[in-house]
Amino acid sequence: TIPSLDAMLPDQGLRRGTLSEWIAAEPGCGAASLAMRVAIQAQQNGPLIIIDRQRRIYAPAVAAAGAPFTHTVFIHPASRGDELWAVEQSLRSPGVGAVVCQVEHLKNQEFRRFQLAAESGTAVGLLLRPAAARKSSGWADIRLLVSPRASPTQSFCRRVAVRCVYAKGCLTDQTVELDICDETGAVRLAAGFSDSAAAY
């Protein structure tokens, strides 16, 4: 996955059978890009399932990020009910590597069903959430808040801050800054944040 991001998480990364929230402080800040890269890495353990009722996830961009289409399944539910069912069943299915879904509103019971489904399955579950989701409680094992930062001058990179605002079973409030290169797709630790800035 992304070592500098994994290093601040309790289990040194996202474990299979867990659910994480990627909360975007503002639209287009890079939360979806980072989550997708983590999901693609999880494809070594099984297919990546992308559930996208609003059709906001651009398939060519997913391919450009390195996801092999032979191991990627796109599901476009016709209704919110179908969407919730698809997420739950995908998380519960054995042999799945990762499940990604962009979901705005979740009732407590719906969220709990996702969490239980993830626990019983093999996938890394990643929920893409809007900023408003931060105000509500949830059942995710990990909650990450992704915020934009000033990008380096004369660079094709976007800089983001990733803050772990919640980790199940422990106290945490750590932040790492990353540069996402729009030209190559590489993700690296922001220069100056640490002495090491290897691309991942």
Side-chain angles (χ1 to χ4, degrees):
T1 52
I2 303 171
S4 51
L5 176 60
D6 290 346
M8 75 172 184
L9 300 178
D11 294 313
Q12 301 296 297
L14 300 177
R15 293 181 293 106
R16 301 177 73 185
T18 62
L19 195 62
S20 60
E21 281 185 283
W22 297 72
I23 302 173
E26 61 183 58
C29 67
S33 296
L34 286 175
M36 197 61 67
R37 294 187 188 290
V38 172
I40 289 169
Q41 289 295 322
Q43 279 186 300
Q44 61 185 321
N45 297 316
L48 164 61
I49 299 178
I50 299 173
I51 300 164
D52 183 21
R53 181 165 64 96
Q54 303 294 336
R55 298 179 182 266
R56 296 174 179 170
I57 298 175
Y58 190 48
V62 175
F69 273 171
T70 54
H71 291 82
T72 303
V73 178
F74 284 86
I75 299 175
H76 301 294
S79 67
R80 185 175 185 276
D82 289 346
E83 177 183 57
L84 296 175
W85 183 87
V87 173
E88 185 176 345
Q89 295 303 312
S90 298
L91 288 170
R92 197 180 298 278
S93 297
V96 173
V99 177
V100 177
C101 182
Q102 183 166 317
V103 56
E104 294 185 2
H105 306 292
L106 273 178
K107 296 177 182 178
N108 186 63
Q109 184 180 10
E110 295 167 345
F111 211 149
R112 176 61 168 161
R113 290 178 67 89
F114 283 2
Q115 188 259 333
L116 291 174
E119 279 189 352
S120 66
T122 60
V124 175
L126 305 100
L127 301 180
L128 308 179
R129 308 296 309 279
R134 188 183 173 192
K135 299 178 182 179
S136 60
S137 60
W139 289 92
D141 298 275
I142 298 287
R143 301 188 92 188
L144 300 172
L145 176 66
V146 182
S147 307
R149 290 290 185 267
S151 300
T153 56
Q154 298 181 338
S155 169
F156 290 102
C157 292
R158 290 180 291 158
R159 181 163 294 179
V160 299
V162 184
R163 179 184 172 197
C164 183
V165 296
Y166 173 79
K168 184 178 180 180
C170 68
L171 296 174
T172 183
D173 189 2
Q174 299 186 58
T175 300
V176 65
E177 290 192 3
L178 302 170
D179 286 338
I180 306 172
C181 181
D182 292 324
E183 190 174 49
T184 65
V187 179
R188 65 177 71 238
L189 196 62
F193 202 84
S194 172
D195 291 335
S196 61
Y200 308 115

